[in-house]
């Protein structure tokens, strides 16, 4: 880990040390993904079978996972694991249920009633990556809000073989259909539909560069599907003062670093003593980690920033806009109103990031790469859409008419004006 | 207007009559816009001056409109116009204030507190197109929610000369800076900043094909800016039964048709008699319109659909997903729970679209082109972002630990587990 003293850097150097590495997909990924999408649109299930054999070296009997297979997977799972997944499900459901919006109804003028109502997005597709270990937590983070929002059809794609943990959680979340399909071909299948895979309105979930590019491409086509948010490498920033426990901070930095060699890990502290203690603790803890090699690569580009003050530490964080922000200071809650541009904030010594990654209740799908300035932590709102409604009484229209008429005249929209005046004239006729 | 009987069409014909015309920008617009963006990034204000002279045939003294000019514009405006704009401002503000979200705080397990908090997007840029007539209503629809959300800096670009109505509303909405810049160069300036124009986090507003393409390009660059939503031609669908007034419906169809030759206008009714009456009334009313030529072009591709029943009319609407949906039936409110995929819904005879376009309180920036399936009516949420927060007590962490440990083990993330166990071990040490 590299240590810098913020005050000693020029403005340009400050921006440069916090600059995220450019994501350069390269034209070859773009073209390869476009080819996969075209193939799936053209050949449907047949393309999925061929691409699954090619990329996943797998030939599942059916594209759709049967109910029996899901039941069998659940039966194989240990009671301990089921209990953990059930508890996480319960907590995540509790927090997301609290996000159900109240309908809004306002009478802006006498007889002019304006409303906002929320509807679930009808069909959604969840993508769960494969890899060395299964990711049931991501199924929970996508499946629970889809279920609570009331989406009419929820489908899930994951490269075969799909782990028992994933199938068990899919059942918990009442996911309607699970498919043995991964990669860009899964995104294409859900965006356009095939004989076996349902077309969806919106696609959620993480993935590698091919999946990310496929999501970008299908979301740029209005016949394709909307997507959750732009993707980037995972990040954590820790703000700490001299009261923090360096072992806890080191453990938090490492749990981010083990995600991948491109993970972004930053500690900001006004205490040079703490900075040194954390650096030492990271070295010690690193030695016993199973994924030490990965973590070490991420740590090579990670940063310890010595700030002048806690106020400066906060403005550094607001400037960087981290996905995860851990605050381990004397009074973390007092700092909350000052914190901005963070995906999820973890307050105090007993709130490690891994609590939120798995089971406290908050969502672990968060904006990265500085998108925290404009994007939100994934929530119920992402599985819903807001529609407005208005209902004017005859008197309401009469009261509003002069305003609409004057504005329509200013904007030169004659028919807009007449849609109001023709009604008012009829009202006047009826009355006279 | 072309009339079709829904039942007499095949599935394919049904989909085809409601298919929206493809938006084909063409590679030349893409390249031209990319060149404009590159020029603005390279030459800053100098590029803006050159491009404004070239495209808008204007050479304003300063890029930023001065306070004095804004005051002078307000002084020139008639009292009648100011009153109309003030009334619209009041109504729109009332409806958008009602959208201020309550913070959420849930204890998901004893000692595990999860929260959702909302922050304004810091800096936003509003784009207001020029053209034959000024669009103060669009300034209201973007400026009011930006103001109520509490965005720290709000800027506005519009091609010079900027109309008095626009400057007056900019003052009402306390917009911080107004710039004499239009087109793709305005989008580039707000996305990347120049000497005079502030860089913003997110850009809102309608525009022509060049503006739309520029918004797409800057939103695909993480150093650029986020944007409000994808754009398409404006649309209205009317659902009506035999109790509706054909003159009112004709006026509503025409007020959509006058927007532009690519406006989408559709009437769905189970009453062939009403269908004929509306077709006649459209012809009659068309003759007196100032923008009859434009409306006529839009009507040439517009549609009257005779449905079998009201239930079928509703499912046609939900399938099409119109931007504006007007419901003129015996009991429009009873149909509301069945309606889906609409940007804004207008209930009953006295609720013309133009009420919502200008002044009832709802926002007139709405998803088009079928994006109603996944996108929302513009609102306060679009000028804000949701962050989550969590705070665990020592006991909270102890209670959650077994769940996190089991899941981290399943996912093979050792350091995630240790971030929890290292804390529990310290707790146990302290206690023993």
């Amino acid at each position: 880990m590299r240590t810098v003293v913020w005050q000693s850097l020029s403005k340009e150097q400050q921006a440069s040390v916090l600059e995220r590495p450019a994501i350069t997909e390269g034209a070859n990924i773009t073209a390869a993904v476009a080819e996969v999408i075209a193939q799936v649109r053209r050949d449907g299930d047949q393309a999925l079978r061929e691409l699954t054999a090619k990329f996943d070296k797998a030939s599942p009997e059916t594209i759709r996972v049967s109910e029996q297979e899901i039941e069998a997977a659940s039966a194989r799972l240990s009671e301990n694991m089921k209990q953990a997944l059930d508890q996480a499900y319960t907590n995540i459901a509790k927090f997301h249920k609290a996000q159900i919006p109240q309908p809004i109804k306002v009478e802006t003028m006498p007889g002019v009633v304006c409303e906002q109502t929320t509807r679930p997005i009808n069909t959604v597709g969840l993508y769960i990556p494969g890899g060395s270990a299964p990711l049931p937590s991501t199924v929970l983070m996508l499946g629970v809000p889809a279920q609570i929002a009331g989406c009419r059809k929820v489908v899930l794609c994951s490269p075969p073989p799909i782990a028992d943990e994933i199938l068990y959680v899919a059942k918990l979340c009442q996911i309607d259909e699970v498919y043995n399909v991964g990669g860009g071909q899964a995104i294409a299948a859900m965006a356009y539909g095939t004989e076996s895979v349902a077309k969806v309105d919106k696609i959620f979930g993480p993935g590698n560069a091919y999946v990310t590019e496929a999501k970008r491409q299908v979301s740029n086509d209005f016949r394709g599907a909307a997507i959750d948010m732009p993707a980037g490498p995972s990040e954590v920033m820790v703000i700490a003062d001299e009261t923090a426990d360096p072992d806890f901070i080191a453990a938090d930095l490492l749990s981010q670093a083990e995600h991948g060699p491109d993970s972004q890990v930053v500690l900001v502290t006004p205490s040079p003593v703490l900075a040194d203690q954390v650096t030492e603790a990271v070295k010690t803890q690193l030695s016993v980690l199973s994924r030490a090699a990965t973590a070490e690569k991420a740590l090579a580009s990670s940063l310890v920033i010595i700030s002048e003050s806690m106020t400066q530490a906060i403005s550094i964080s607001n400037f960087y806009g981290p996905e995860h922000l851990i605050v381990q200071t004397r009074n973390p809650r007092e700092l909350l109103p000052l914190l901005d541009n963070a995906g999820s904030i973890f307050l105090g010594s007993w709130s490690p990031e891994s609590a939120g990654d798995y089971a406290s209740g908050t969502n672990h799908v968060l904006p990265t790469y500085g998108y925290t300035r404009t994007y939100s932590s994934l929530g119920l709102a992402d599985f819903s859409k807001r529609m407005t409604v208005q209902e004017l009484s005859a008197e309401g229209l009469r009261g509003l008419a002069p305003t609409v008429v004057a504005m329509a005249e200013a904007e030169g929209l004659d028919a807009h004006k007449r849609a109001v005046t023709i009604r008012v004239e009829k009202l006047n006729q009826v009355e006279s």
Side-chain angles (χ1 to χ4, degrees), chain A residues 17 100 117 145 192-193 235 262 277 308 336-337 357 395 400:
Chain A
V17 295
I100 295 174
T117 175
Y192 299 101
E235 308 161 345
D262 56 355
Q277 290 170 330
E308 230 189 2
L336 184 56
D357 283 344
E395 284 319 298
L400 194 64

Side-chain angles (χ1 to χ4, degrees), chain A residues 174-186:
Chain A
Q174 298 177 291
I175 288 170
D176 298 288
E177 303 187 1
V178 178
Y179 309 113
N180 284 306
V181 190
Q185 58 274 23

Side-chain angles (χ1 to χ4, degrees), chain A residues 126-178:
Chain A
L126 318 181
Y127 184 74
I128 307 297
S132 52
L135 294 173
S137 62
T138 304
V139 185
L140 287 166
M141 297 300 173
L142 304 177
V144 171
Q147 184 182 23
I148 292 171
C151 299
R152 221 175 294 170
K153 185 163 199 168
V154 185
V155 306
L156 183 153
C157 279
S158 193
I162 303 181
D164 293 347
E165 290 87 347
I166 289 178
L167 294 177
Y168 178 74
V169 174
K171 203 180 81 168
L172 272 185
C173 299
Q174 298 177 291
I175 288 170
D176 298 288
E177 303 187 1
V178 178

Side-chain angles (χ1 to χ4, degrees), chain A residues 33-156:
Chain A
V33 166
E35 174 48 41
V36 162
I37 293 175
Q39 193 181 338
V40 171
R41 294 185 73 173
R42 191 182 57 229
D43 301 335
D45 281 357
Q46 182 53 32
L48 297 183
R49 283 192 208 95
E50 285 172 24
L51 292 163
T52 302
K54 181 175 167 189
F55 294 124
D56 301 311
K57 317 287 175 221
S59 304
E61 248 173 77
T62 55
I63 289 175
R64 181 167 170 195
V65 180
S66 69
E67 298 295 327
Q68 294 86 318
E69 288 172 86
I70 295 174
E71 290 301 329
S74 301
R76 278 191 298 268
L77 222 55
S78 75
E79 279 311 308
N80 185 47
M81 181 53 60
K82 282 189 211 174
Q83 219 169 0
L85 295 170
D86 290 355
Q87 180 67 60
Y89 174 88
T90 303
N91 292 354
I92 296 165
K94 222 178 256 182
F95 183 59
H96 286 78
K97 265 184 199 154
Q99 295 171 28
I100 295 174
Q102 290 302 311
I104 293 167
K105 191 169 188 170
V106 181
E107 194 168 359
T108 54
M109 277 172 79
V112 179
V113 173
C114 297
E115 300 168 53
Q116 184 180 272
T117 175
T118 302
R119 295 275 192 279
I121 293 175
N122 275 297
T123 55
V124 299
L126 318 181
Y127 184 74
I128 307 297
S132 52
L135 294 173
S137 62
T138 304
V139 185
L140 287 166
M141 297 300 173
L142 304 177
V144 171
Q147 184 182 23
I148 292 171
C151 299
R152 221 175 294 170
K153 185 163 199 168
V154 185
V155 306
L156 183 153

